[in-house]
Amino acid sequence: MKNWSLILLLCISAIYAKPAHDTVYVEQIIRDTVYIPIKSKTDTIYINGAMSPQEQTLEHAPKPKCCEPTERNPLGKDTTKFLRYDTTYTHHLIYLHFDIVSILWLMDTTFTSVGGNIEISANRKNSFMINFRYSKMQPQRGSSNTFNDYIYTGNISQYDIGMGYRHYFRPSKYSFYYDVGGNWLIRKYDYINTWDFTNLINERPHSRHDTGYLFSPYIHLGHIFRGSRSIFGIEYGLAYNAIDKELLNREFSYITGGIQLDFRLNFGIGVL
């Protein structure tokens, strides 16, 4: 009886006893694989006419189909467009331009004109221009000129200062451009009509000693070549001056009346 009581007590203890549990923490690591596709770059380097090792490895590589006849291109012409205008020149904030044609004018004893521009470049295609020029005209020889030394002595001198806007069509070494703006002219008249002191019939403009002021609008076209620092350009266009049509009606220089023809060979340098 005693044994049965002991067994019963053990059974009851086993039923009501709470099992012991241990908590185990396991660190979970999640790894993601991200693929970033990067195209390999192949450079072609020519050294003395020979192919580089990089290009030689591609010598037997399959060539892409090119120039095969299509519905839009039945003759199979090569329509590949090559990059003719690069942007490898150095862009400067300020350029100084000088008109080389001015040197040619210095060889003429009757006419002198020296000028240039300061270009403030906002970017590779747009610039603000400041223009300056000094010109001087003396009576010329020959009866074909109204202002000739047969009747007149003295000179006409002029200072130009103006502003303009220039737009380049390509942000590249070579570019075509247009230039529009206007110049304020300070023109000093200091000449004598020698016939004023005679009894001859004098229908030509009389002696004059004063200063005139006028505004001359202009429009120019040009071509420019820009390098790392130096630049060279050809510029041509028209301007209009509203005075002295009678005296200088056959002139087309910077000191003239009416339509003025402008032609410049500009050499420049980038300073900033």
Side-chain angles (χ1 to χ4, degrees), residues 10-27:
L10 292 174
C11 290
I12 293 173
S13 300
I15 293 173
Y16 289 98
K18 294 183 179 180
H21 295 281
D22 293 331
T23 301
V24 179
Y25 295 92
V26 179
E27 182 180 0

Side-chain angles (χ1 to χ4, degrees), residues 6 12 26 31 52 63 66 68 76 78 112 136-138 168 173 191 195 211 215 220-221 237 241 258 261 264:
L6 182 59
I12 293 173
V26 179
R31 300 180 185 275
S52 66
K63 305 295 182 182
C66 175
E68 293 183 356
D78 187 0
T112 301
K136 184 177 181 180
M137 177 179 288
Q138 295 176 334
Y168 298 98
K173 282 186 176 180
Y191 60 84
W195 286 13
T211 301
F215 179 75
H220 292 168
L221 302 176
N241 300 331
L261 299 180
R264 303 173 183 175

Side-chain angles (χ1 to χ4, degrees), residues 212-223:
Y213 303 90
L214 71 153
F215 179 75
S216 177
Y218 69 85
I219 179 170
H220 292 168
L221 302 176
H223 306 264

Side-chain angles (χ1 to χ4, degrees), residues 188-207:
K188 184 177 181 180
Y189 306 92
D190 189 13
Y191 60 84
I192 296 174
N193 183 333
T194 58
W195 286 13
D196 287 342
F197 309 102
T198 67
N199 294 326
L200 300 174
I201 298 175
N202 187 8
E203 297 179 350
R204 295 175 181 265
H206 297 282
S207 303

Side-chain angles (χ1 to χ4, degrees), residues 93-99 114-122 126-134 160-166 168 179-184 218 220 235 264 266:
L93 175 62
I94 296 178
Y95 292 91
L96 300 180
H97 301 262
F98 178 74
D99 181 16
V114 180
N117 312 86
I118 299 176
E119 178 180 2
I120 303 175
S121 180
N126 302 283
S127 296
F128 174 74
M129 309 298 296
I130 300 176
N131 312 313
F132 55 90
R133 180 172 293 275
Y134 169 75
D160 301 13
I161 183 69
M163 295 181 294
Y165 165 74
R166 177 175 294 183
Y168 298 98
D179 197 345
V180 294
N183 295 321
W184 286 269
Y218 69 85
H220 292 168
E235 186 175 337
R264 303 173 183 175
N266 294 321

Side-chain angles (χ1 to χ4, degrees), residues 23-81:
T23 301
V24 179
Y25 295 92
V26 179
E27 182 180 0
Q28 185 179 6
I29 301 175
I30 301 176
R31 300 180 185 275
D32 294 331
T33 303
V34 179
Y35 296 94
I36 302 175
I38 300 176
K39 288 186 177 181
S40 59
K41 297 181 180 180
T42 304
D43 294 332
T44 302
I45 303 173
Y46 293 92
I47 303 177
N48 295 329
M51 291 187 298
S52 66
Q54 292 89 341
E55 188 184 19
Q56 292 175 6
T57 58
L58 301 177
E59 183 178 3
H60 302 290
K63 305 295 182 182
K65 294 182 179 180
C66 175
C67 308
E68 293 183 356
T70 61
E71 183 178 353
R72 294 186 177 182
N73 186 14
L75 299 179
K77 293 183 178 180
D78 187 0
T79 58
T80 303
K81 294 183 179 179

